[in-house]
Amino acid sequence: MHRSRRPLVTGLLALAAAGALAGCSSGGSTGGTPTATATTTVTAAPSAGGSPTGGSSAPSPSQGSATNGGDGASGGSGTSGGSASGRCATGDLTGSIAPGGGGAAGSVDVHLVLTNTGSTTCTLQGWPGVSFVGGGNGTQIGAAATQEQGSPHPTVTLASGQAAVAPLKIGQAGNYDVADCGQTSPDGFRVYPPGSKQSLFVKETAYTACRGSGATLLSVQALVPEGQATS
């Protein structure tokens, strides 16, 4: 009887050991699967992270385009700056009033002169904005000048030191009713070169302005080369 039990026990132990080994083998395989999954996930994360990296590198072409565009703009600007097509900057202009063609009854014609004091050639084209100012602080007085749109308006090229002129007609304040005009002595003129939002001041106290906006004393023609004004 003893001999028959030992083989049975040995057989059972062998089966248990085989089961344990099978369990270990199965556990290793199961553990390997999550490991593979985890590895895949980890690999996917950098890949997803790689997309943003690609996204961040995406601006590189954009930046390259901007750089190329900048080169183009720079080239364009250089071309514009190197030619006479660049508009005169307000800071490179000085203004003055010179005698004009005389004038008609009730008005006087003068020339508004804009001189290029910059170091490079530039252009002016069109009608300047003109108004009386006073009060010692540049406050506009009355209505701004009307623009005589029928006047010639060529592109005027100004080398450094050259000037363009705009014939300016100044009406006499005495032609208007005192109540409508509100006569006052101005400090001069505020002038906006064509196309500019910056103005310059031209000191001139020889004329009388009207405070009332209904009294339009000023009318201006387009700028032309000095010496070519018709009035």
Side-chain angles (χ1 to χ4, degrees):
M1 297 295 294
H2 290 287
R3 289 180 182 175
S4 61
R5 288 179 182 175
R6 286 177 185 171
L8 179 60
V9 171
T10 303
L12 291 174
L13 290 173
L15 289 174
L21 289 172
C24 288
S25 175
S26 174
S29 176
T30 303
T33 301
T35 302
T37 303
T39 302
T40 301
T41 304
V42 169
T43 302
S47 179
S51 292
T53 303
S56 65
S57 67
S60 290
S62 175
Q63 188 174 2
S65 296
T67 302
N68 294 336
D71 290 342
S74 176
S77 222
T79 302
S80 175
S83 70
S85 61
R87 190 176 68 199
C88 297
T90 301
D92 288 335
L93 296 170
T94 57
S96 60
I97 298 296
S107 66
V108 59
D109 289 340
V110 298
H111 287 167
L112 169 62
V113 183
L114 296 181
T115 303
N116 177 16
T117 56
S119 59
T120 59
T121 297
C122 61
T123 62
L124 290 171
Q125 193 274 327
W127 293 261
V130 185
S131 60
F132 280 120
V133 291
N137 57 8
T139 300
Q140 181 172 324
I141 301 172
T146 58
Q147 296 177 343
E148 297 184 22
Q149 297 289 333
S151 61
H153 49 284
T155 298
V156 184
T157 301
L158 302 178
S160 180
Q162 290 185 326
V165 300
L168 176 65
K169 181 175 289 185
I170 305 172
Q172 294 182 5
N175 293 339
Y176 292 87
D177 183 88
V178 174
D180 293 334
C181 175
Q183 294 186 12
T184 185
S185 296
D187 298 327
F189 300 95
R190 175 186 293 125
V191 177
Y192 287 91
S196 177
K197 294 183 178 180
Q198 294 183 321
S199 64
L200 53 89
F201 173 69
V202 179
K203 184 177 181 180
E204 182 57 71
T205 59
Y207 307 100
T208 302
C210 287
R211 293 191 184 90
S213 58
T216 304
L217 298 182
L218 305 174
S219 64
V220 65
Q221 296 182 26
L223 288 155
V224 296
E226 191 173 28
Q228 296 185 22
T230 57
S231 60

